[in-house]
Amino acid sequence: MKKNFAKTVSWIYLAVVLFVLYAPIFCIILFSFFNTSLFSFSNGFSLEAYASIFTSDKAPELWRAIGNTFLIATVSAVVSTILGTFSSIGIFSLGRKTRRLVENVNQLPVINSEIVMAVSFMVFFSTLGFPEGYLQLFIAHIAFCTPYVVLNVMPQLVQMDSNIYEAALDLGASPMKALTQVMLPMLRPGIVSGFVLSLTLSMDDFIITQINKGTTTGIETLSTFIYSDARVKGMEPFWYAVFSIIFVVVLTLLLIMNLKKVSKKEAKNEKV
């Protein structure tokens, strides 16, 4: 009886949490098909909000912002993944006390408020005279994302047998060959998850980009463009369609990645 009651409560709790998390998103998706920002069905079913992504006067600015978003996110994710991966290997090879100290320092940007980081970057760039534009955004996003890559790769290093690298050296492999052909393939899950997380964080970032993009460059990412447009004209149905597409794309990518992981696990279990 107690087990059934606890199970029922847990399911109710899960349902409430999922409702609170996803009901607002599904409301946006629903009303994106009725071309209204008043949350009513008076206009009837329509795809006009989706068509306006390509036909409205905002379309050129929107696609320019999307291009900037993907450019900054891709460059930042690639560079931060490389830096974070090799930094993780270096941190792992340190002594226990030193490694713990460096790991704690690495977590400071993660637990620190993003507005503090954004203002710190702004002061840093203005002090050193960095030119406004993409360079500032690349550096800020790379510095912001790299600690997350380290946090994803370090658990893989902890789980890995430390003798494998030395065994590769004993068998005649050069240090570079042992690193690229032995260690990095074993760290691939952490590297991939770190890259995906960096890409997502960079695409989602608003505060660091808004403060450091410069006032005269005209650079807009998707988040800053949404903010500047909604602040003046309010949240139009046009944006409901954009949000819906973003959610569906992200959800699809997550499902594909998870299904691949499940299929790989099943394949391994069948071999065993």
Side-chain angles (χ1 to χ4, degrees), residues 3-271:
K3 289 184 179 180
N4 292 334
F5 177 76
K7 189 175 182 179
T8 303
V9 171
S10 63
W11 277 107
I12 293 173
Y13 174 77
L14 178 62
V16 171
V17 171
L18 292 176
F19 177 80
V20 172
L21 287 174
Y22 292 103
I25 298 174
F26 285 115
C27 282
I28 289 177
I29 295 173
L30 175 64
F31 287 104
S32 69
F33 292 103
F34 292 90
N35 196 36
T36 177
S37 57
L38 301 176
F39 298 104
S40 67
F41 305 99
S42 57
N43 291 348
F45 183 86
S46 172
L47 295 175
E48 187 176 343
Y50 289 89
S52 62
I53 295 176
F54 304 94
T55 59
S56 71
D57 55 348
K58 297 178 185 177
E61 293 180 79
L62 172 66
W63 288 106
R64 198 177 304 119
I66 292 174
N68 288 333
T69 301
F70 278 99
L71 173 65
I72 295 169
T74 302
V75 173
S76 302
V78 170
V79 177
S80 62
T81 300
I82 295 171
L83 290 176
T85 300
F86 287 101
S87 297
S88 301
I89 295 172
I91 294 170
F92 185 73
S93 64
L94 296 173
R96 182 176 298 179
K97 292 184 179 179
T98 308
R99 185 173 75 183
R100 186 175 300 172
L101 175 63
V102 176
E103 285 178 343
N104 290 332
V105 172
N106 176 74
Q107 291 179 14
L108 286 177
V110 177
I111 63 177
N112 196 12
S113 174
E114 193 175 345
I115 185 65
V116 175
M117 290 191 65
V119 175
S120 300
F121 283 127
M122 181 186 67
V123 174
F124 174 76
F125 291 139
S126 61
T127 302
L128 297 183
F130 274 80
E132 291 184 344
Y134 288 103
L135 180 61
Q136 289 190 9
L137 294 177
F138 286 144
I139 294 173
H141 279 242
I142 290 167
F144 173 64
C145 294
T146 300
Y148 291 93
V149 178
V150 175
L151 289 176
N152 278 273
V153 176
M154 282 299 293
Q156 297 293 324
L157 283 165
V158 173
Q159 295 174 9
M160 186 182 70
D161 188 352
S162 59
N163 296 320
I164 292 178
Y165 178 75
E166 296 178 2
L169 296 178
D170 292 339
L171 292 171
S174 64
M176 181 58 68
K177 195 171 184 180
L179 175 65
T180 56
Q181 296 189 13
V182 178
M183 288 192 67
L184 292 183
M186 298 185 70
L187 299 177
R188 188 181 293 116
I191 295 172
V192 172
S193 61
F195 174 80
V196 173
L197 182 60
S198 299
L199 189 71
T200 305
L201 288 171
S202 181
M203 291 178 63
D204 186 57
D205 177 75
F206 168 75
I207 298 175
I208 292 176
T209 305
Q210 178 69 14
I211 293 179
N212 292 280
K213 67 186 179 69
T215 56
T216 59
T217 59
I219 298 174
E220 295 284 359
T221 61
L222 186 59
S223 59
T224 59
F225 180 52
I226 291 170
Y227 170 75
S228 60
D229 184 76
R231 183 179 59 176
V232 176
K233 299 181 179 180
M235 197 61 66
E236 300 176 85
F238 170 84
W239 289 116
Y240 293 171
V242 174
F243 299 153
S244 301
I245 292 172
I246 293 173
F247 175 75
V248 171
V249 170
V250 172
L251 181 62
T252 303
L253 291 175
L254 288 174
L255 289 174
I256 291 172
M257 290 178 63
N258 288 326
L259 288 173
K260 282 186 176 181
K261 287 182 180 179
V262 171
S263 62
K264 285 182 179 179
K265 286 183 179 179
E266 290 179 351
K268 287 182 179 179
N269 292 332
E270 289 178 359
K271 288 181 180 179

